[in-house]
Amino acid sequence: MAITTAAVVPPPTPALAKAFPYWLKLGFISFGGPAGQIAMMHQELVEKRRWISEHRFLHALNYCMLLPGPEAIQLAIYIAWLMHGLGGAIVAGVLFFLPALVLLSALAWAYINFGDVPAVAGIFYGIKPAVVAVVLFAAWRIGSKAIRNGLLGGIAALAFVGIFFFDVDFPSIVLAAGVLGAIGGKLAPEKFKSGGGHGSSRMQYGPAIIDDHTPPPAHAAFSLGRLIFTLVAFAAIWAIAMAMVAGTQTLQDMGEFFTTAAFLTIGGAYAVLPYVYQGAVEHFGWLTGAQMMDGLALGETTPGPLIMIVTWVGYMGGVAKQVFANPITAGIAGAAVATFFTFLPSFMFIIAGGPLVEATRNELKFTAPLTAITAAVVGVIMNLAVFFAWHTFWPKGTAAMPFAPPVEWLPVLVAIAAFVALWRYKIDIMKVISACALLGLVLALLR
């Protein structure tokens, strides 16, 4: 993207009311898991709108990668918090998961009342190869910016080999990459410097509202007193919410369980799914194993982070345990409680920890480990692309033989076409996903 005459100065800072439509749109189009969601935000906020420079975007992303919880929604909260403070954080965060909350609750209601829906299955059939393309596109887009030398490329390759061939867990990969970055920052600091210089986002896209050297706004300044106040405020919000559901044992159990799950979600939703499955299915009996798997399939192909499976679990649990006499009210209550307690910690991590992250942005001893982690994440995203490809193109594959024949060639062709549309023709991600979903629906209706 070449810089035009209009791009020699930063765009005007939008008021929160002007930014609201974008965050609402993001909630409806955030398909493709965290990699796809991050790619969408990069394309829109770094390249098109220039709300934030690539250096600042990646710095925020690095921090979010270290946190428990869904990193894409945390990144949205972080960027909106930088621009518009607490109000921006709440708007971006809530709108990120609200469409998925409504949609998954509606799907859970339909699932309970009407069972299998062939048309919906057809839409999912079309979306899955698009998701493969979106994730590959995200790996290319982020990798082309984050991997600036062979050393960082080697870290990305090691991360892919570790997670794909040796099943190394994501937290261990993050820790190892951080250690390598800390060591590399001392031995070869020029390899681990982030932002600025040749190839910076200023050179590519023009100056941004939050540019490489823009000082943090007043609300993002770090102070120990503000940190303590923020932590106490979130603890009070959690306690009040727990008091509101204390009269219903199932909802109280959900509040405690999903709070714990939120702090265990290190490495993405896949890392915490076994814990959620064990608690929701085997311990509490909120739903069956088959219902959990059906919800996971829906969660993978609906907007919002994959951890939105908790909405499905909450809805099914509310109905199964009859927390209210009306099943719709019971399901909505369960879905709302599960979602609220899962995402509350994400707001706390950003609003409490963001000022400290901003204060250490230009210190190499802090940024070098984060630069290495970003490189490792590229390898992890490639692994995610292979994972989705395996389940989409080789439906009879197993863990022992993931690429067992036969190959589903139609999804392969759809994925290739979707990737070319994204990469070569720069077509909007939502348009690509919508076209693939429509194709799947047509195929389902013709069968």
Side-chain angles (χ1 to χ4, degrees):
M1 175 180 174
I3 299 177
T4 64
T5 305
V8 296
V9 295
T13 302
L16 180 55
K18 294 288 187 181
F20 183 95
Y22 170 72
W23 297 120
L24 179 61
K25 171 188 171 184
L26 182 64
F28 281 99
I29 67 171
S30 55
F31 291 90
Q37 293 153 4
I38 290 165
M40 289 179 188
M41 282 188 279
H42 183 279
Q43 185 180 46
E44 191 75 23
L45 301 183
V46 176
E47 299 178 28
K48 292 183 178 180
R49 297 176 185 255
R50 291 185 289 131
W51 286 0
I52 186 168
S53 73
E54 185 157 284
H55 167 54
R56 300 292 283 269
F57 181 92
L58 289 178
H59 184 72
L61 174 60
N62 291 338
Y63 172 57
C64 296
M65 288 291 183
L66 292 174
L67 297 173
E71 59 267 28
I73 187 174
Q74 290 167 346
L75 180 61
I77 294 170
Y78 194 111
I79 294 171
W81 165 77
L82 266 183
M83 292 188 67
H84 297 112
L86 179 61
I90 293 172
V91 165
V94 171
L95 292 181
F96 197 99
F97 67 74
L98 185 60
L101 168 63
V102 174
L103 180 58
L104 275 173
S105 296
L107 288 172
W109 171 83
Y111 180 89
I112 290 172
N113 290 278
F114 302 108
D116 189 25
V117 181
V120 174
I123 291 173
F124 293 163
Y125 181 81
I127 287 177
K128 285 181 179 179
V131 169
V132 175
V134 167
V135 174
L136 281 173
F137 184 61
W140 174 82
R141 181 179 292 275
I142 295 174
S144 64
K145 308 297 189 302
I147 300 176
R148 301 183 302 277
N149 54 65
L151 191 56
L152 293 175
I155 292 175
L158 285 174
F160 176 82
V161 170
I163 196 169
F164 183 77
F165 291 101
F166 299 101
D167 202 26
V168 179
D169 60 89
F170 185 81
S172 297
I173 289 175
V174 169
L175 178 61
V179 171
L180 288 175
I183 296 171
K186 294 181 179 180
L187 300 180
E190 70 283 354
K191 300 287 188 181
F192 290 88
K193 287 182 179 178
S194 60
H198 176 70
S200 70
S201 56
R202 171 179 283 268
M203 296 293 292
Q204 291 177 296
Y205 312 121
I209 297 170
I210 304 172
D211 217 339
D212 290 0
H213 304 293
T214 303
H219 67 262
F222 175 77
S223 75
L224 182 59
R226 178 180 291 176
L227 173 61
I228 294 172
F229 173 81
T230 303
L231 293 175
V232 170
F234 272 98
I237 292 171
W238 181 88
I240 291 170
M242 283 299 299
M244 292 174 65
V245 300
T248 306
Q249 187 61 48
T250 295
L251 296 182
Q252 182 177 340
D253 290 340
M254 286 183 178
E256 295 172 354
F257 176 77
F258 288 111
T259 298
T260 305
F263 282 93
L264 292 177
T265 316
I266 299 175
Y270 286 110
V272 80
L273 280 177
Y275 175 80
V276 174
Y277 182 95
Q278 184 181 41
V281 175
E282 299 176 4
H283 181 68
F284 291 109
W286 293 331
L287 73 174
T288 67
Q291 290 171 336
M292 178 78 174
M293 293 301 101
D294 289 339
L296 179 59
L298 290 169
E300 293 219 55
T301 48
T302 50
L306 181 58
I307 196 61
M308 289 302 298
I309 181 66
V310 302
T311 299
W312 174 274
V313 172
Y315 192 102
M316 302 297 286
V319 174
K321 298 299 181 180
Q322 298 179 328
V323 297
F324 292 107
N326 185 302
I328 295 178
T329 305
I332 292 174
V337 168
T339 305
F340 175 85
F341 284 99
T342 297
F343 286 102
L344 181 64
S346 291
F347 289 88
M348 181 190 71
F349 293 140
I350 301 305
I351 296 169
L356 182 60
V357 175
E358 286 296 303
T360 60
R361 181 167 48 85
N362 294 315
E363 297 185 33
L364 186 62
K365 63 182 179 181
F366 293 105
T367 60
L370 297 179
T371 298
I373 288 169
T374 300
V377 166
V378 174
V380 174
I381 293 173
M382 284 301 301
N383 171 75
L384 184 64
V386 173
F387 177 86
F388 281 135
W390 158 27
H391 287 279
T392 304
F393 306 150
W394 291 272
K396 293 188 177 180
T398 63
M401 296 184 63
F403 307 115
V407 179
E408 289 273 349
W409 287 108
L410 180 58
V412 172
L413 295 175
V414 172
I416 292 172
F419 183 83
V420 171
L422 293 167
W423 175 65
R424 177 67 179 84
Y425 296 102
K426 306 295 188 292
I427 297 176
D428 183 75
I429 289 176
M430 189 56 199
K431 292 179 180 178
V432 172
I433 291 175
S434 298
C436 293
L438 180 61
L439 175 63
L441 176 61
V442 170
L443 290 173
L445 295 176
L446 292 176
R447 287 174 183 169

